[in-house]
Amino acid sequence: MNFVEELRWRGMLHTEMPGTEDMLNKGMASGYIGFDPTADSLHVGHLTQIMTLIHFQRAGHKPYALVGGATGMVGDPSGKSAERNLLSEDVLQHNLESVKKQLTRFLDFNTGANSAEMVNNYDWFKDFTFLDFIRDVGKHITVNYMMAKDSVKKRLEGDTGMSFTEFTYQLVQGYDFYYLWKNHNCSLQMGGSDQWGNIVTGTELIRRKDSGEAFALTTNLIKKADGTKFGKTESGAVWLDAERTSPYQFYQFWLNTTDVDAKSYIRIFTLLDREVIEAMEVEHDAAPHTRILQKALAKDITIRVHGEAEYEKAIKSSEFLFGNVGLEFLGELNETEVVGIFSGVDNYKIALSDLEQGINVADLLAVKTSIFASKGEAKKMIQGGGAAINKVKIATADDVYTTDALINGKFIIVQKGRRNYFLVIAE
C-alpha cells in the first residue's frame, strides 16, 4: 500500500494536488511538514501531522520536520480570528529545543537514505534582508493572489483586520518550500487542510521563480463527533510533555473517547494494521462495554509518547482509582504524579500544623475542607459506612487524624461513596 492509499483508508487524506500520487509512486521522494514553536511542547492536535510524517517515512520516503524559528516570530493567520502574541528570541529558542526533542521520539533519524531530517527556517532567514526578500520573493507573487486566500479574506472581513506581518506569512512559508525544494530536493509539502493556501503559495513560487514543479497534500482537521474541538479538555490542551499533561491524564484522554470517535481515532493515531483494526471494530460492536477500541488506542499512543513504563503506571493509576490496586502504589509516585492522578477531582489544601495537632474527621471533611456541606452530613455518611480515608472506611465520626495519615508526607485521599475521590494536600 502506497503513502496516499495509507492516508486514504485511515480517513486522513483531505486534498492532494494533481500528480502527487504519481510522483510518489516513481520512487523515494522528500516531503516536509512545518511545526511552529508557539509553546515548549507539541500537543495532541499536532499528532495528525506527526503521524503523516511517520506514514511518509514508512512508505519509503524521506521526511523533513521543519521547526519554524523564523515563522514562529511572525505567526500564522490560518484559522485564527486575531493576531497572536509574538515571542521573544529567548522563549522561541527554548521552545525550539523542546519541540525538536519531542519530534525525535516519532521519526527515525538513522535509517539510511530515507532518514528523517530536522531543519529550522531561521537558518536561511536570519541573513535574508527585507530588501532582498521583497525583490527576490515578493515580486513573484501578486497581491491579488495573496488576497484571494481564505485565511486572508476571513481576517479582512472581520473586526480585527490583519497586520502586514501576518499578511506576508504565506510568502515566508512559500519561501520555506522553495528553499527546501532548491536545496534538499523536497518536492512535497504536507499539512492540515487549513494550510492549503500557504502550501500552494510555495508551489506557485517554485513554478514562477524557477519554472519548477512541486506538489501539495493536506490532511483532514480532526474534530469530535459532537462538534467540539479535538484535543481540548476542561483543564485545557492535552500536551505531549509529561510536565504539562501527566501520562495518566494523557492515557485517560484517549481512554474516555466516545465509541464513534474511537473508530476514527484508532485509524488516525495508531500504527495498527487495517486487518487488526477492522477485527477490533467487529469485536467492539459485539461488546461495546469492553471498550476494546479505546483501550487499544490509549495503549498505542501512550507508549509511543511516554514509553512502556509510564503506560503501565497509568494503568495502575486507573486501577487504584477504579479497581483494587492498594494504597502502597502511591508510594511509588512522585508528588507531580500523585497530583496528576487526581487532577480531575476536587483538591483541598489544609495546614500541616493542623494535622500535627490532630483534626477530628468531621472537621477535616466539612470545616477544613468542603468535601461535605456540613459536619452533620459528614457524620451521617460515616455512620452509614460511605466515607473512607486512604481507602479505609472511617470507623466513627469521633476519629482523629494526624500527620500519620499523610501519604508521601503530603497527601490524604478521601472517598465519598465508592467512586467520588478528593485529594487533600497538607502544606
Side-chain angles (χ1 to χ4, degrees):
M1 188 181 297
N2 67 34
F3 170 64
V4 175
E5 289 171 343
E6 185 78 32
L7 296 188
R8 190 176 286 123
W9 85 259
R10 288 183 181 272
M12 297 172 68
L13 184 65
H14 185 273
T15 307
E16 58 173 317
M17 185 173 284
T20 300
E21 193 166 2
D22 290 338
M23 179 273 293
L24 292 173
N25 288 339
K26 292 177 181 177
M28 187 183 77
S30 296
Y32 88 97
I33 293 177
F35 299 87
D36 275 351
T38 53
D40 62 359
S41 173
L42 299 173
H43 52 73
V44 295
H46 293 107
L47 277 177
T48 308
Q49 300 315 316
I50 292 173
M51 294 304 300
T52 301
L53 286 180
I54 291 172
H55 289 304
F56 190 69
Q57 186 172 40
R58 282 162 61 98
H61 303 297
K62 184 177 180 66
Y64 283 83
L66 183 151
V67 286
T71 40
M73 292 181 174
V74 178
D76 182 4
S78 301
K80 308 293 190 304
S81 59
E83 186 163 356
R84 68 189 183 193
N85 294 328
L86 302 184
L87 304 175
S88 69
E89 287 194 39
D90 288 344
V91 171
L92 198 61
Q93 189 58 40
H94 168 70
N95 292 354
L96 279 168
E97 294 304 317
S98 300
V99 169
K100 282 181 181 179
K101 186 177 179 181
Q102 288 183 334
L103 287 173
T104 57
R105 297 182 200 164
F106 301 97
L107 298 169
D108 192 337
F109 289 81
N110 187 29
T111 186
N114 74 322
S115 293
E117 289 193 30
M118 202 171 297
V119 290
N120 181 353
N121 59 11
Y122 183 73
D123 291 339
W124 54 84
F125 272 114
K126 62 184 177 184
D127 297 321
F128 207 163
T129 68
F130 176 73
L131 289 177
D132 286 341
F133 184 78
I134 59 174
R135 183 191 66 191
D136 295 342
V137 179
K139 71 177 182 180
H140 294 287
I141 303 295
T142 66
V143 171
N144 295 35
Y145 180 88
M146 296 172 70
M147 294 277 285
K149 302 297 182 187
D150 286 340
S151 59
V152 174
K153 286 195 292 187
K154 288 178 181 177
R155 285 290 294 279
L156 293 179
E157 291 167 359
D159 297 331
T160 59
M162 174 180 270
S163 69
F164 175 76
T165 301
E166 284 196 318
F167 180 62
T168 58
Y169 185 93
Q170 62 176 291
L171 286 182
V172 176
Q173 185 171 327
Y175 184 77
D176 283 342
F177 197 178
Y178 173 81
Y179 182 92
L180 291 174
W181 173 83
K182 186 83 171 176
N183 296 280
H184 295 272
N185 195 31
C186 200
S187 54
L188 175 67
Q189 184 182 168
M190 299 163 282
S193 58
D194 60 339
Q195 289 294 309
W196 181 258
N198 291 335
I199 294 173
V200 296
T201 296
T203 63
E204 191 69 7
L205 181 62
I206 290 166
R207 185 184 69 81
R208 296 186 183 188
K209 186 170 170 59
D210 275 18
S211 300
E213 184 178 39
F215 299 88
L217 181 149
T218 59
T219 54
N220 291 311
L221 297 181
I222 309 302
K223 294 181 181 179
K224 292 184 180 179
D226 63 6
T228 57
K229 191 169 184 179
F230 169 75
K232 293 284 186 179
T233 65
E234 289 183 7
S235 57
V238 179
W239 301 91
L240 305 191
D241 186 337
E243 294 297 317
R244 285 174 170 260
T245 300
S246 72
Y248 169 75
Q249 292 169 295
F250 187 84
Y251 173 79
Q252 286 292 322
F253 169 78
W254 299 103
L255 190 65
N256 291 326
T257 300
T258 65
D259 289 346
V260 174
D261 286 331
K263 289 184 178 181
S264 169
Y265 296 170
I266 200 162
R267 293 171 180 246
I268 296 169
F269 298 113
T270 78
L271 294 173
L272 298 173
D273 293 339
R274 184 171 190 169
E275 294 76 13
V276 172
I277 290 175
E278 289 177 347
M280 278 186 183
E281 289 172 340
V282 172
E283 190 176 344
H284 178 90
D285 289 342
H289 64 280
T290 62
R291 300 178 67 77
I292 186 172
L293 288 179
Q294 285 91 337
K295 290 176 181 177
L297 172 68
K299 177 180 180 179
D300 184 276
I301 303 178
T302 303
I303 288 175
R304 278 190 293 116
V305 173
H306 295 296
E308 186 90 35
E310 291 299 334
Y311 163 72
E312 294 295 342
K313 200 178 288 184
I315 292 290
K316 278 192 176 181
S317 298
S318 298
E319 291 175 349
F320 171 79
L321 291 175
F322 308 114
N324 298 314
V325 170
L327 200 64
E328 66 279 358
F329 167 65
L330 294 186
E332 303 171 14
L333 307 181
N334 60 40
E335 183 176 327
T336 301
E337 290 171 330
V338 173
V339 173
I341 292 175
F342 293 94
S343 62
V345 305
D346 291 336
N347 288 200
Y348 296 94
K349 293 182 179 179
I350 62 171
L352 183 61
S353 57
D354 288 341
L355 280 171
E356 290 171 344
Q357 297 174 19
I359 306 177
N360 170 269
V361 69
D363 288 332
L364 174 63
L365 301 181
V367 178
K368 298 297 182 180
T369 67
S370 56
I371 294 172
F372 288 89
S374 67
K375 291 172 68 173
E377 182 185 331
K379 290 177 180 179
K380 186 177 180 180
M381 181 71 84
I382 291 168
Q383 289 167 358
I389 283 182
N390 296 340
K391 288 208 159 189
V392 177
K393 283 186 180 181
I394 302 167
T396 74
D398 296 322
D399 285 2
V400 173
Y401 285 84
T402 67
T403 53
D404 290 340
L406 291 174
I407 300 168
N408 297 355
K410 194 170 185 70
F411 305 105
I412 292 175
I413 313 301
V414 179
Q415 281 172 273
K416 184 164 66 173
R418 179 171 171 77
R419 292 186 175 272
N420 295 317
Y421 280 89
F422 304 86
L423 181 65
V424 179
I425 305 171
E427 295 183 334

